[in-house]
Amino acid sequence: MSNLADISLFLRVVDHKSISAAARSVGISPALASKRLQVLESNLGVRLLHRTTRKVSVTPEGLELALKGRHLVEDLETLTSDLKQVTKEVSGTLRITAGVSFGRVFISPLLPQFLQQHPKLKIQLNLSDETSNLIDSGYDLAIRISSSLESSGLVAKKIISNKRILAASPDYLGKYGSPKTLEELAQYNCLILASGQGREDFLQLMDQKGREHKVKVQGTLESNLGDALYQAALSGLGISLHSEWHIKEDLEQGRLCHVLPEFYKETSIYAVMPQRQFVPLRVRAFTQFIEQQLNKL
């Protein structure tokens, strides 16, 4: 059976793209690291790395080990660490991905407080409106806003409900008027979100009685970035659909106006993580922290 430490060393080579750098990260010599990797390959009966004098590259078999073995190594390390510690400490590196707007407005401002509570923790935050593959990208946690999450072998925990509403600038409504019915929305310039979850040119909205309504819309701008549509709406380009929290201040200050307030889109904010039996303590702690903070709003 291959030594867990040797598999962990191999994963460091994959991450650092260098045997020497991986060796330094664990405090051993490159020669010893190379020898341990050769033993690992011998035990497994496959070549994991192509080595030249200038670089190392990962073989297909090595990629498979990195993909399937990383979480096994992390799970076992987490388990043994938790069992050894009398007092558990949140430590290590927490890799998070979240949408740009939500990450900017809510996640980023909360990170200093969480890091102050857990001084042995490091955080890597990636903000993108594109849906990343958590396992392939090496993320511990994703914060996603969706009406429903497709089954993908991931664990999704609902944190809080999220209402999205229609809005436009006073200038746009002053020039073109405000739609009186949902059907009239098809005659206006609508700013369309086009992301990995699809194009929102066919809106499915709820009324105050919980009945669902559908309308086909069109417009001169579509983007995978919600902030781009937000800026366009502020500039008077058209009507767009935004999370209530995103435009709350703009509505209060009169920079945007609520359009067709009797209709909304019900979504939720989820904490999504790879489906593993042993969720790292850092992930559990941050998920609980975010849930507590959001429910204070």
Side-chain angles (χ1 to χ4, degrees):
M1 180 177 177
S2 298
N3 190 303
L4 178 66
D6 292 340
I7 297 177
S8 180
L9 174 62
F10 165 73
L11 294 175
R12 287 177 178 267
V13 174
V14 174
D15 292 339
H16 290 282
K17 299 180 176 60
S18 164
I19 294 177
S20 297
R24 287 194 298 270
S25 72
V26 295
I28 63 175
S29 68
L32 178 57
S34 294
K35 183 176 181 180
R36 284 174 50 180
L37 290 169
Q38 289 171 3
V39 171
L40 177 61
E41 289 176 325
S42 177
N43 289 342
L44 295 176
V46 295
R47 180 174 292 279
L48 301 174
L49 298 167
H50 290 304
R51 304 166 178 81
T52 68
T53 56
R54 293 186 177 182
K55 65 176 184 178
V56 295
S57 58
V58 186
T59 67
E61 291 79 10
L63 288 174
E64 184 175 4
L65 176 61
L67 178 63
K68 297 180 180 179
R70 184 181 299 276
H71 295 308
L72 294 175
V73 170
E74 290 184 353
D75 283 345
L76 189 54
E77 288 177 343
T78 299
L79 175 60
T80 55
S81 176
D82 285 354
L83 290 174
K84 289 178 180 178
Q85 291 178 1
V86 177
T87 303
K88 296 182 180 179
E89 289 184 301
V90 176
S91 61
T93 300
L94 177 62
R95 302 172 183 87
I96 309 169
T97 181
V100 174
S101 299
F102 186 76
R104 174 176 54 81
V105 175
F106 285 112
I107 302 296
S108 298
L110 291 174
L111 294 185
Q113 179 183 348
F114 188 70
L115 286 169
Q116 287 170 3
Q117 293 175 5
H118 306 288
K120 293 187 177 182
L121 181 71
K122 295 181 180 179
I123 291 180
Q124 295 177 359
L125 174 65
N126 175 70
L127 299 183
S128 172
D129 284 340
E130 290 298 318
T131 302
S132 301
N133 184 302
L134 296 193
I135 296 175
D136 290 349
S137 302
Y139 291 118
D140 296 301
L141 180 68
I143 306 297
R144 291 179 178 167
I145 300 176
S146 179
S147 54
S148 63
L149 291 177
E150 297 179 359
S151 177
S152 58
L154 302 174
V155 173
K157 173 181 172 56
K158 180 179 176 179
I159 297 177
I160 195 171
S161 295
N162 180 66
K163 184 182 290 186
R164 298 178 66 202
I165 59 176
L166 295 163
S169 72
D171 288 344
Y172 179 83
L173 297 178
K175 185 174 182 180
Y176 298 102
S178 183
K180 301 296 188 296
T181 66
L182 192 63
E183 290 72 23
E184 288 183 10
L185 195 62
Q187 304 170 20
Y188 287 76
N189 191 46
C190 292
L191 313 176
I192 297 170
L193 182 67
S195 67
Q197 299 181 36
R199 296 177 70 250
E200 290 191 339
D201 59 343
F202 194 75
L203 297 180
Q204 300 183 50
L205 305 176
M206 305 289 288
D207 64 22
Q208 299 301 320
K209 295 182 179 180
R211 296 173 299 193
E212 187 176 272
H213 302 262
K214 300 178 181 179
V215 61
K216 174 75 173 178
V217 298
Q218 58 184 353
T220 56
L221 175 65
E222 64 177 64
S223 175
N224 69 327
L225 191 64
D227 265 355
L229 305 182
Y230 166 71
Q231 293 297 334
L234 285 175
S235 299
L237 186 60
I239 300 174
S240 55
L241 189 67
H242 294 283
S243 293
E244 202 168 26
W245 54 261
H246 191 186
I247 59 173
K248 180 181 179 181
E249 185 175 328
D250 298 295
L251 294 173
E252 293 173 347
Q253 299 297 323
R255 293 187 291 268
L256 289 174
C257 300
H258 197 169
V259 175
L260 295 171
E262 64 270 31
F263 295 100
Y264 64 94
K265 184 177 180 68
E266 186 66 54
T267 62
S268 297
I269 300 173
Y270 294 91
V272 184
M273 60 203 81
Q275 188 168 3
R276 284 180 276 169
Q277 184 176 0
F278 302 107
V279 178
L281 180 59
R282 60 184 180 273
V283 176
R284 301 199 305 269
F286 187 77
T287 301
Q288 183 179 34
F289 172 77
I290 288 295
E291 184 173 11
Q292 291 172 345
Q293 297 301 316
L294 292 183
N295 278 286
K296 291 179 181 178
L297 301 177

Coordinates of all heavy atoms in Angstrom, one line a residue, residues 5 23 26 30 32 35 41 62 71-72 107 122 129 135 151 163 168 192 206 219 222 229 232 254 270 286 288:
A5 N 2.0 9.8 2.9 CA 2.9 11.0 2.8 C 3.5 11.1 1.4 O 3.7 12.3 1.0 CB 4.0 10.9 3.9
A23 N 9.6 19.7 -2.6 CA 10.5 19.2 -1.5 C 10.8 20.3 -0.5 O 10.7 20.0 0.7 CB 11.9 18.8 -2.2
V26 N 8.0 20.8 2.2 CA 7.9 19.8 3.2 C 9.2 19.6 4.0 O 9.3 18.7 4.9 CB 7.4 18.4 2.7 CG1 6.0 18.6 2.2 CG2 8.3 17.9 1.6
P30 N 15.5 17.7 -2.7 CA 14.9 17.2 -3.9 C 15.3 15.8 -4.3 O 14.5 15.1 -4.8 CB 15.6 18.2 -4.9 CG 15.9 19.4 -4.2 CD 16.3 18.9 -2.8
L32 N 15.8 13.3 -2.1 CA 14.9 12.4 -1.3 C 13.5 12.4 -1.9 O 12.8 11.4 -2.0 CB 14.9 12.8 0.1 CG 14.0 12.0 1.1 CD1 14.3 10.5 1.0 CD2 14.1 12.5 2.5
K35 N 13.3 10.2 -4.9 CA 13.4 8.8 -4.6 C 12.0 8.3 -4.1 O 11.5 7.3 -4.4 CB 14.4 8.6 -3.5 CG 14.6 7.1 -3.1 CD 15.8 7.0 -2.1 CE 15.9 5.5 -1.8 NZ 17.1 5.3 -0.8
E41 N 5.6 5.4 -7.6 CA 5.3 4.9 -8.9 C 5.5 3.4 -9.0 O 4.7 2.7 -9.6 CB 6.2 5.6 -10.0 CG 5.8 7.1 -10.2 CD 6.8 7.8 -11.1 OE1 8.0 7.5 -11.1 OE2 6.3 8.7 -11.9
G62 N -1.2 10.2 -13.6 CA -1.0 11.1 -12.5 C -2.1 12.1 -12.3 O -2.5 12.4 -11.1
H71 N -8.8 14.6 -2.3 CA -9.8 14.7 -1.3 C -9.7 13.6 -0.3 O -10.0 13.7 0.9 CB -11.2 14.8 -1.8 CG -11.5 16.0 -2.7 ND1 -11.2 17.3 -2.2 CD2 -11.9 16.2 -3.9 CE1 -11.5 18.2 -3.1 NE2 -11.9 17.5 -4.2
L72 N -9.2 12.4 -0.7 CA -9.0 11.3 0.2 C -7.9 11.6 1.2 O -8.0 11.4 2.4 CB -8.7 10.0 -0.6 CG -9.8 9.4 -1.5 CD1 -9.2 8.3 -2.3 CD2 -11.0 9.0 -0.6
I107 N -19.2 38.9 1.2 CA -18.1 38.0 1.6 C -16.8 38.8 2.0 O -16.3 38.6 3.1 CB -17.8 37.0 0.5 CG1 -19.0 36.2 0.2 CG2 -16.6 36.0 1.0 CD1 -19.5 35.3 1.3
K122 N -5.6 30.6 6.5 CA -5.4 31.5 5.3 C -6.6 31.3 4.4 O -7.1 30.2 4.4 CB -4.1 31.1 4.6 CG -2.8 31.3 5.4 CD -1.6 30.9 4.6 CE -0.3 31.1 5.3 NZ 0.9 30.7 4.5
D129 N -18.5 35.2 -11.8 CA -19.9 34.8 -12.0 C -20.0 33.6 -12.8 O -21.1 33.1 -13.1 CB -20.7 36.0 -12.7 CG -21.0 37.1 -11.7 OD1 -21.0 36.8 -10.5 OD2 -21.3 38.2 -12.2
I135 N -14.2 20.5 -7.7 CA -13.2 19.4 -7.5 C -12.0 19.7 -8.4 O -10.9 19.7 -8.0 CB -13.8 18.1 -7.8 CG1 -14.9 17.7 -6.7 CG2 -12.7 17.0 -7.7 CD1 -15.6 16.4 -7.0
S151 N -28.3 18.4 -9.7 CA -27.5 17.3 -9.0 C -26.2 17.1 -9.7 O -26.1 16.9 -10.9 CB -28.3 16.0 -9.1 OG -27.6 14.9 -8.5
K163 N -34.4 37.1 -2.7 CA -35.4 37.6 -3.6 C -34.8 38.5 -4.7 O -34.0 39.4 -4.3 CB -36.5 38.4 -2.9 CG -37.7 38.9 -3.8 CD -38.7 39.7 -3.0 CE -39.4 38.8 -2.0 NZ -40.6 39.5 -1.3
A168 N -35.1 49.8 -12.7 CA -34.6 50.6 -13.8 C -34.3 52.0 -13.2 O -34.8 52.4 -12.1 CB -35.5 50.7 -14.9
I192 N -30.0 41.4 -19.9 CA -30.1 40.0 -19.7 C -28.8 39.4 -19.2 O -27.7 39.6 -19.7 CB -30.5 39.3 -21.1 CG1 -31.8 39.8 -21.6 CG2 -30.5 37.8 -20.9 CD1 -32.2 39.4 -23.0
M206 N -42.7 35.2 -9.8 CA -43.8 34.9 -8.9 C -44.6 36.2 -8.6 O -44.0 37.3 -8.5 CB -43.4 34.2 -7.6 CG -42.5 33.0 -7.8 SD -43.4 31.6 -8.4 CE -44.3 31.2 -6.9
G219 N -33.3 42.5 -25.3 CA -32.6 43.8 -25.0 C -31.3 43.9 -25.7 O -30.9 43.0 -26.4
E222 N -26.4 41.9 -23.0 CA -26.4 40.7 -22.1 C -25.0 40.5 -21.7 O -24.0 40.8 -22.4 CB -27.0 39.5 -22.8 CG -26.2 39.0 -24.0 CD -26.9 37.7 -24.6 OE1 -28.0 37.8 -25.0 OE2 -26.2 36.7 -24.5
L229 N -24.5 44.5 -15.8 CA -25.9 44.8 -16.0 C -26.4 45.9 -14.9 O -27.2 46.8 -15.2 CB -26.8 43.6 -15.9 CG -26.4 42.4 -16.8 CD1 -27.4 41.3 -16.6 CD2 -26.4 42.9 -18.2
A232 N -25.2 49.2 -16.1 CA -26.0 49.6 -17.2 C -27.3 50.1 -16.8 O -27.9 51.1 -17.4 CB -26.1 48.5 -18.2
G254 N -32.9 56.6 -4.5 CA -33.5 57.0 -5.7 C -32.7 56.9 -7.0 O -33.1 57.4 -8.0
Y270 N -26.7 29.4 -1.4 CA -26.2 28.1 -0.9 C -24.7 28.1 -0.6 O -24.0 28.8 -1.3 CB -26.5 27.1 -2.0 CG -27.9 26.8 -2.3 CD1 -28.6 27.5 -3.3 CD2 -28.7 25.8 -1.6 CE1 -29.9 27.2 -3.6 CE2 -30.0 25.5 -1.9 CZ -30.6 26.2 -2.9 OH -31.9 26.0 -3.2
F286 N -16.5 28.3 8.6 CA -16.8 29.4 7.7 C -18.3 29.4 7.3 O -18.9 30.4 7.2 CB -15.9 29.5 6.5 CG -16.0 30.7 5.7 CD1 -15.5 31.9 6.1 CD2 -16.8 30.7 4.5 CE1 -15.7 33.1 5.3 CE2 -16.9 31.8 3.7 CZ -16.4 33.0 4.2
Q288 N -20.8 28.1 8.9 CA -21.6 28.5 10.0 C -21.5 30.0 10.3 O -22.5 30.7 10.6 CB -21.1 27.8 11.3 CG -22.0 28.1 12.5 CD -21.5 27.3 13.7 OE1 -20.3 27.0 13.9 NE2 -22.4 26.9 14.6

